[in-house]
Amino acid sequence: MNPSNKKKDAAMAVEIGGLKLKNPVMTASGTFGYGEEYADYVDLNQLGAIVVKGLSLKPRLGNPPPRIMETAGGMLNAVGLQNVGVDVFIKEKLPFLRQYDVAVIANIYGESTLEYSQVAKKLSQAEGVHALEVNVSCPNVKKGGLSFGSDPKAAAEVTRRVKAETHLPVIVKLTPNVTDIAAIAQSVEEAGADAVSLINTLTGMSIDLKTRTPHLKNITGGLSGPAIKPVALRMVWQVAQKVAIPVIGIGGILTAEDALEFMIAGAKAVQIGTANFINPRATIEIIDGIRHYLQNNKIKNINDIVGTLRT
Ligand SMILES: Cc1cc2nc3c(=O)[nH]c(=O)nc-3n(C[C@H](O)[C@H](O)[C@H](O)COP(=O)(O)O)c2cc1C
């Protein structure tokens, strides 16, 4: 690499809870498979990080179809956390990812705090996982299905249990389906989270007028895509003011301009989700776009724009 390239790349580097990333652009869980699915379209080495599909202790088939529905400016999904399970991930998916020079973040979930901690332990012992992202949007079976992420105490408890099992940085991924997301963020920060990422999908639904039945078999699903961007941006801004740990912005990011809005609102990094379905090279185009923005505006380092919103 020639020195000017090195300088250029240093300007894009960020650090999340001790994890050094080449640039602030990651994939969002559930929209990029286990990385391999996109390797023909994207040079995975260029990504800030790959966040893999949510992993549970045992493999899961997810919900019955139809489970995807396009909506105005977005999509509803009720995939239901389908995945190969943590053991198959470690045995069959991780070796592929180890060939690349890219941070791998394993997204995890469980139906109990015990399951979260068991999945966390297995991944922490595996070679090639660099951080854990804890999806607290999952229903807490013990609490009648209320999600862990909608209760500050339950979210903190999951965070503590996962932290106790791992040496890896722990990112807690917050659900927007709450009244006060900043209060949940503060609670997981106190419990030891190294970073928070937000937002997960917003609960929604859609109806077929002819049959008067829901389009999704599950009735409700999670809304994602450009339609949720203003809500996500507002929540990132609110959370960034209340916590000292890094915030990762997610929700409807399609372009470098969208990503930069999140960073100005206080996000140190961003994740790209639904955009990958529209344009499989969205992540790379966003990385290039951020680099050009820095150059065109003579900004020396990407970190210099984080949280610079003028109000
Ligand atoms: C089909 C699909 C599957 C998803 N699966 C997961 C998952 O397994 N774990 C998780 O934490 N988030 C999951 N998400 C949520 C995304 O990671 C992201 O938070 C959300 O879609 C908002 O970002 P976007 O508007 O850029 O898509 C999923 C989203 C979609 C659309």
Side-chain angles (χ1 to χ4, degrees):
M1 188 190 282
N2 72 42
S4 68
N5 267 348
K6 215 170 189 175
K7 213 165 129 195
K8 193 172 79 182
D9 286 349
M12 290 285 281
V14 297
E15 195 178 322
I16 303 286
L19 178 65
K20 291 193 172 73
L21 307 178
K22 282 178 202 153
N23 64 66
V25 179
M26 318 177 187
T27 63
S29 179
T31 65
F32 208 75
Y34 302 101
E36 197 168 355
E37 295 86 338
Y38 277 80
D40 285 345
Y41 306 100
V42 171
D43 174 8
L44 303 182
N45 292 313
Q46 289 193 42
L47 298 173
I50 295 177
V51 183
V52 300
K53 174 72 188 159
L55 298 162
S56 51
L57 197 57
K58 298 272 176 282
R60 278 172 60 143
L61 286 174
N63 291 324
R67 50 189 202 172
I68 300 272
M69 179 68 201
E70 197 170 333
T71 61
M75 64 180 268
L76 283 168
N77 94 83
V79 169
L81 299 173
Q82 173 182 352
N83 78 104
V84 296
V86 67
D87 292 330
V88 173
F89 170 75
I90 291 170
K91 207 163 150 243
E92 293 177 13
K93 307 289 180 187
L94 252 190
F96 175 83
L97 289 169
R98 277 201 293 267
Q99 303 173 87
Y100 293 89
D101 175 25
V102 64
V104 172
I105 302 180
N107 179 286
I108 66 168
Y109 72 94
E111 286 180 353
S112 64
T113 47
L114 177 66
E115 186 177 349
Y116 276 101
S117 66
Q118 288 169 322
V119 179
K121 188 172 182 181
K122 282 177 183 262
L123 287 163
S124 305
Q125 289 164 351
E127 191 196 329
V129 177
H130 303 100
L132 300 178
E133 181 178 60
V134 183
N135 175 9
V136 290
S137 299
C138 198
N140 181 349
V141 171
K142 268 198 189 149
K143 288 260 166 77
L146 195 75
S147 92
F148 288 94
S150 57
D151 172 11
K153 280 200 191 117
E157 181 58 18
V158 171
T159 308
R160 265 191 295 274
R161 292 289 293 267
V162 170
K163 279 293 285 182
E165 294 297 344
T166 189
H167 58 283
L168 298 171
V170 172
I171 303 161
V172 179
K173 181 166 177 180
L174 305 177
T175 170
N177 302 311
V178 295
T179 314
D180 184 359
I181 196 164
I184 313 276
Q186 284 176 303
S187 184
V188 301
E189 178 180 42
E190 273 166 35
D194 298 291
V196 286
S197 56
L198 60 139
I199 59 175
N200 211 316
T201 54
L202 282 153
T203 307
M205 67 186 283
S206 156
I207 293 172
D208 183 333
L209 267 190
K210 271 195 209 122
T211 58
R212 297 193 198 176
T213 56
H215 279 123
L216 297 174
K217 183 89 176 163
N218 189 57
I219 306 176
T220 62
L223 182 64
S224 64
I228 72 169
K229 195 189 109 188
V231 178
L233 200 54
R234 182 265 294 176
M235 289 185 163
V236 162
W237 173 68
Q238 284 178 327
V239 167
Q241 290 174 86
K242 290 284 169 67
V243 298
I245 52 178
V247 175
I248 301 168
I250 322 167
I253 299 175
L254 290 188
T255 63
E257 287 74 20
D258 294 334
L260 287 159
E261 279 188 61
F262 276 86
M263 298 190 79
I264 290 166
K268 207 165 180 191
V270 291
Q271 292 182 7
I272 315 303
T274 302
N276 294 304
F277 300 144
I278 305 165
N279 169 13
R281 288 187 51 76
T283 45
I284 299 298
E285 291 173 14
I286 290 168
I287 294 165
D288 288 345
I290 295 175
R291 199 176 270 135
H292 287 143
Y293 173 85
L294 295 187
Q295 284 162 357
N296 293 343
N297 291 280
K298 302 203 167 23
I299 299 167
K300 286 204 179 72
N301 193 292
I302 186 67
N303 291 284
D304 295 344
I305 69 153
V306 175
T308 54
L309 182 73
R310 299 184 187 129
T311 51

